[in-house]
Amino acid sequence: MKKEKLIKKYDRKVAMYENNRYNPTVAVWRDKLVKDAFGKVLEVGVGVGANFPFYDPEKVKEVTGVDFSYEMIESAKQLAVKYQLNANFIHQDIDTLIFESNSFDSIVSTLTLCSYPYPVETLNKYNDWCKKDGRLLFLEHGLSANSILAVTQKIVNPLYRKIAGCHCNRDISKILKESKLEVEHLEQHWNGMVSLIWAKPSK
């Protein structure tokens, strides 16, 4: 799917993402993960700001939210005001995003690795942007550990990608192993289709 078409697809989905912002099941996962962010935070694929309620104001100094969808960014800005979050936003695609090395204490990315064309390269960028004593936090969906479900995901992936704009059959554990990141803790749910990841950069 061409990038311009994909961006427009997400621009049109803002209302749907806003309605799903407080999904109770996902909220439990977000809370468990995002509360561990600290210092200067980069949130990539910030979307409509669904993680904002879960940042610990005592630990987080500021959040830089990045997204390639302008409409998503505008929605996230409103939520940042509601939660009095010290946030700034960058409307840009991750493929062209540039930061200096060791720029952030924490990097947060939730439900985004499914859509990047080169996920390992993206994770290696995070490895560079995160400080040596920093933390990387991910909530991702991907290939099930159940063989029957995994086969089904592989079969439906072309249609899923066309409808949702992302892959449903990415092997998250494999992607992490191929990256430079060091996984400290991995927690999986729903037959391995949902992964919560606590990682650190390798310097």
Side-chain angles (χ1 to χ4, degrees):
M1 183 180 295
K2 291 184 178 180
K3 188 60 67 68
E4 295 79 8
K5 187 176 180 180
L6 182 62
I7 293 172
K8 289 180 180 178
K9 181 183 286 288
Y10 279 97
D11 280 342
R12 293 193 296 267
K13 288 183 176 182
V14 170
M16 182 189 77
Y17 275 82
E18 288 177 339
N19 290 335
N20 197 44
R21 205 182 247 155
Y22 302 106
N23 178 295
T25 301
V26 183
V28 170
W29 295 331
R30 292 186 192 277
D31 180 44
K32 180 179 288 189
L33 187 79
V34 177
K35 68 181 181 182
D36 286 336
F38 67 95
K40 187 176 180 182
V41 178
L42 171 67
E43 183 173 343
V44 186
V46 68
V48 297
N51 289 322
F52 290 176
F54 307 106
Y55 282 114
D56 184 341
E58 298 297 320
K59 293 163 56 178
V60 172
K61 295 179 181 177
E62 66 176 28
V63 176
T64 298
V66 178
D67 207 288
F68 64 10
S69 166
Y70 175 80
E71 298 300 330
M72 294 277 188
I73 287 279
E74 289 302 300
S75 178
K77 285 180 179 178
Q78 296 177 35
L79 201 67
V81 172
K82 176 181 177 180
Y83 285 96
Q84 299 181 324
L85 192 66
N86 179 19
N88 59 85
F89 296 90
I90 301 174
H91 175 217
Q92 193 168 338
D93 185 359
I94 183 65
D95 291 338
T96 60
L97 194 63
I98 297 174
F99 290 111
E100 292 184 2
S101 300
N102 307 307
S103 291
F104 299 95
D105 299 295
S106 305
I107 296 180
V108 175
S109 180
T110 58
L111 306 176
T112 60
L113 286 179
C114 57
S115 61
Y116 298 142
Y118 307 106
V120 174
E121 290 182 15
T122 299
L123 290 180
N124 289 341
K125 286 184 179 182
Y126 299 165
N127 183 79
D128 180 58
W129 296 341
C130 190
K131 294 178 182 178
K132 184 171 72 170
D133 58 350
R135 180 176 293 149
L136 300 103
L137 305 165
F138 304 93
L139 165 59
E140 301 296 344
H141 74 88
L143 196 64
S144 175
N146 180 295
S147 59
I148 295 175
L149 289 175
V151 169
T152 302
Q153 286 175 288
K154 291 175 181 178
I155 292 171
V156 304
N157 187 66
L159 179 61
Y160 186 90
R161 189 183 177 201
K162 184 176 181 179
I163 295 172
C166 67
H167 299 267
C168 68
N169 67 339
R170 289 239 163 121
D171 189 332
I172 300 302
S173 295
K174 182 173 182 289
I175 289 170
L176 286 164
K177 288 178 182 177
E178 291 177 353
S179 77
K180 296 178 181 178
L181 299 181
E182 296 182 15
V183 175
E184 295 183 298
H185 180 65
L186 173 65
E187 182 179 305
Q188 293 187 311
H189 302 271
W190 288 4
N191 285 303
M193 288 190 290
V194 175
S195 298
L196 278 68
I197 303 129
W198 288 258
K200 65 180 181 179
S202 61
K203 299 292 187 179

